[in-house]
Amino acid sequence: ADTEYATNKMIELTERKISLINLKLIIENILNELSINDTKLLILKYVDRVKGEDIAKKFNVSNRTFFRRSNTAMKSFELGLKRHFKNHNTIFEMCKKEAWIIDLFNKLYEQELQNNQVMTKKSKANKADEVDETSLVKFAQESYKKINCLHNYA
C-alpha cells in the first residue's frame, strides 16, 4: 500500500509539474506577443509586486497614465489568453488542481475592476517614452529585496 501510494503521488506531482510548465509556456508566449513596455509593466506590477506609483515614476508618466496603460496591457494579455484558451473553462480545467492559480486569477480580476472604478477621470496627453531596461531591472531587484526583507521580519 505504501509503494502504491508513493507511486500515485509521484504520478500526480509529475502531472502537476507538466501542467504548470505548460501554463508557464503559454504565459511567456502571450507576454512575448505584447509590446515591450506592456510586458515590462505587467511583470513589474504582478511578478515583482512594485507599487503603481513607483512604476509610474519609473516610466516617467502620471499615475492616471500608468493606470490607463496598465488596463490596456492587461486587456491585451486577456486577449492573448482568450486566443490560447478559447474560453474561461479551459484555463480552469487546466488549473483545476491549482487552487492558488484560480484564487490569484480571481484576485487580480477583482483588483482590476476596482482600479477601473477608481480611475474614471480623463488623463493628460500620452507620453510614449522608452524606459531604460537596466534601470528597470535594478528597480525591480531593489523592490524585490525590500519585499524579501519584509517577509523575513514577518
Side-chain angles (χ1 to χ4, degrees):
D2 289 339
T3 305
E4 183 180 352
Y5 173 78
T7 304
N8 288 335
K9 194 66 174 171
M10 286 178 18
I11 291 170
E12 178 185 330
L13 290 174
T14 303
E15 290 173 355
R16 181 177 178 198
K17 181 180 177 181
I18 290 169
S19 295
L20 289 173
I21 289 171
N22 288 335
L23 185 62
K24 177 186 178 280
L25 291 173
I26 290 169
I27 290 171
E28 285 176 348
N29 287 338
I30 294 169
L31 288 174
N32 286 332
E33 293 171 2
L34 301 178
S35 72
I36 292 170
N37 282 340
D38 285 352
T39 301
K40 289 176 186 176
L41 187 144
L42 291 174
I43 289 173
L44 284 171
K45 184 174 179 181
Y46 295 108
V47 176
D48 298 332
R49 292 185 266 161
V50 177
K51 290 181 182 177
E53 299 104 26
D54 295 336
I55 298 172
K57 288 177 188 173
K58 204 63 183 167
F59 277 86
N60 198 25
V61 296
S62 68
N63 284 341
R64 175 63 187 129
T65 301
F66 161 74
F67 282 107
R68 191 179 70 250
R69 284 186 183 176
S70 176
N71 289 336
T72 303
M74 194 58 153
K75 287 180 187 195
S76 298
F77 187 79
E78 288 174 9
L79 289 173
L81 279 175
K82 286 179 183 178
R83 278 194 306 274
H84 285 275
F85 288 109
K86 307 298 183 217
N87 63 39
H88 287 75
N89 293 334
T90 311
I91 191 169
F92 288 123
E93 182 63 30
M94 184 177 188
C95 302
K96 66 182 173 189
K97 292 185 181 178
E98 302 299 330
W100 65 275
I101 293 176
I102 304 300
D103 291 343
L104 181 63
F105 177 82
N106 291 331
K107 180 181 175 185
L108 292 176
Y109 182 73
E110 288 172 14
Q111 182 181 3
E112 287 302 314
L113 287 177
Q114 289 173 355
N115 287 343
N116 287 337
Q117 292 170 355
V118 169
M119 296 297 161
T120 55
K121 296 178 182 177
K122 295 204 176 196
S123 66
K124 295 180 181 178
N126 186 5
K127 297 178 186 178
D129 299 345
E130 277 294 316
V131 178
D132 180 30
E133 187 124 359
T134 55
S135 66
L136 269 180
V137 170
K138 288 178 185 176
F139 180 68
Q141 288 172 340
E142 291 169 3
S143 297
Y144 184 75
K145 287 177 186 175
K146 289 178 187 175
I147 291 170
N148 279 342
C149 288
L150 292 174
H151 286 292
N152 290 339
Y153 290 115

